[in-house]
Amino acid sequence: MKKIFFAALLLTTVLANAQKNIYESDKFDALSDTHELLAIIPFLANLELTDEISKEELNALEQKEGYAVQNALETYFSQRKKKKKFSVEFQDVKNTNAILTQNNIDYNNIDVYTTKQLSEILGVDGIISGNMDLNVLLSKGIPTEFSFMDYFSGNANYGRIGVKISDGTTGKLLWKYEKKINKKSGKNTTDLIDRMMKLAARKFPYDREKRKDRKQK
């Protein structure tokens, strides 16, 4: 009985912390009312590794991590979309990246383009993007064995990730979710994204049931 109570308390705490890390614009409904298609672009990664590697190698690894998150988000949304959970569609990331390449936009210069510019180029209503700071290669997988000593040594913390959605017409930030990454976050990129987005599911603004409830109020 005590174990069940402790597990329920832990889950409640985790969910509460997830909600605290979520921002939603008070203009979300007005700005997103006509949204039908969103694009997921590669995330910008900042790696702080202990290994001594060249700038070229570091850049290649950061690109790999950024594209891994892009693919993981597409996987998550695709699985949820099958259950008709969302009120919008998501552009195939292969198409997104192909269109970006055709317009001479890649990982190294995508940050100089505004949300409005990218939305127009991609032909979408909004952009899903983000940043992450890592001290491990999450895409390769990380150890998930946990001990309290990890907290004292700092080995439990791997960095942070931020996911945001911006309106394509105005470029304004509509929604943002930030989360610290540690041994309990997931064993790899796909697992991390799946777990963190499930925690944020009740607050995800394009959830079909959530939008229906808000329109009825």
Side-chain angles (χ1 to χ4, degrees):
M1 192 68 178
K2 288 184 178 179
K3 289 183 177 180
I4 295 176
F5 174 76
F6 178 75
L9 181 62
L10 180 61
L11 178 61
T12 301
T13 302
V14 171
L15 289 173
N17 288 332
Q19 309 313 318
K20 288 180 182 178
N21 295 328
I22 294 175
Y23 160 81
E24 182 176 320
S25 169
D26 55 5
K27 296 181 179 179
F28 178 85
D29 288 332
L31 294 175
S32 68
D33 191 54
T34 59
H35 284 190
E36 296 181 359
L37 182 65
L38 303 181
I40 310 165
I41 63 173
F43 274 45
L44 298 179
N46 175 47
L47 288 177
E48 295 183 2
L49 305 177
T50 56
D51 300 334
E52 291 188 9
I53 57 177
S54 67
K55 289 184 178 180
E56 291 74 17
E57 291 176 306
L58 181 62
N59 180 261
L61 290 174
E62 288 177 337
Q63 287 191 46
K64 183 178 180 181
E65 296 300 310
Y67 284 110
V69 174
Q70 181 192 33
N71 288 322
L73 274 170
E74 180 185 49
T75 298
Y76 173 80
F77 288 133
S78 295
Q79 292 174 344
R80 300 280 290 180
K81 189 63 181 177
K82 291 178 182 178
K83 300 177 182 179
K84 298 181 180 179
K85 293 290 184 178
F86 302 125
S87 58
V88 291
E89 299 287 338
F90 302 91
Q91 188 176 68
D92 187 304
V93 297
K94 289 183 178 179
N95 293 339
T96 298
N97 293 338
I99 296 171
L100 291 175
T101 299
Q102 290 164 13
N103 287 273
N104 299 314
I105 302 173
D106 59 25
Y107 181 87
N108 293 310
N109 66 5
I110 195 170
D111 61 331
V112 305
Y113 290 83
T114 67
T115 297
K116 294 171 66 174
Q117 290 173 324
L118 290 174
S119 296
E120 184 176 347
I121 291 169
L122 294 170
V124 297
D125 302 306
I127 299 289
I128 299 176
S129 61
N131 299 75
M132 56 183 172
D133 297 299
L134 295 171
N135 55 40
V136 295
L137 296 175
L138 188 60
S139 62
K140 280 190 174 183
I142 57 177
T144 55
E145 296 79 14
F146 175 79
S147 71
F148 284 106
M149 288 303 296
D150 288 332
Y151 276 118
F152 295 104
S153 65
N155 292 330
N157 300 314
Y158 296 134
R160 58 167 293 284
I161 183 171
V163 180
K164 63 181 181 180
I165 302 173
S166 302
D167 177 45
T169 302
T170 64
K172 290 186 176 180
L173 177 64
L174 298 178
W175 187 84
K176 186 175 183 179
Y177 177 29
E178 293 186 317
K179 189 181 186 308
K180 290 182 179 179
I181 303 172
N182 54 43
K183 286 192 174 184
K184 292 186 177 182
S185 300
K187 60 186 178 181
N188 52 41
T189 308
T190 302
D191 195 27
L192 164 71
I193 293 299
D194 186 66
R195 291 190 187 192
M196 69 177 285
M197 292 305 293
K198 282 180 178 177
L199 287 175
R202 292 182 181 179
K203 289 289 186 176
F204 190 70
Y206 292 100
D207 181 271
R208 190 180 297 277
E209 291 302 317
K210 181 182 177 183
R211 299 197 79 177
K212 185 188 297 182
D213 291 341
R214 290 199 297 199
K215 287 186 177 181
Q216 290 176 348
K217 290 181 180 180

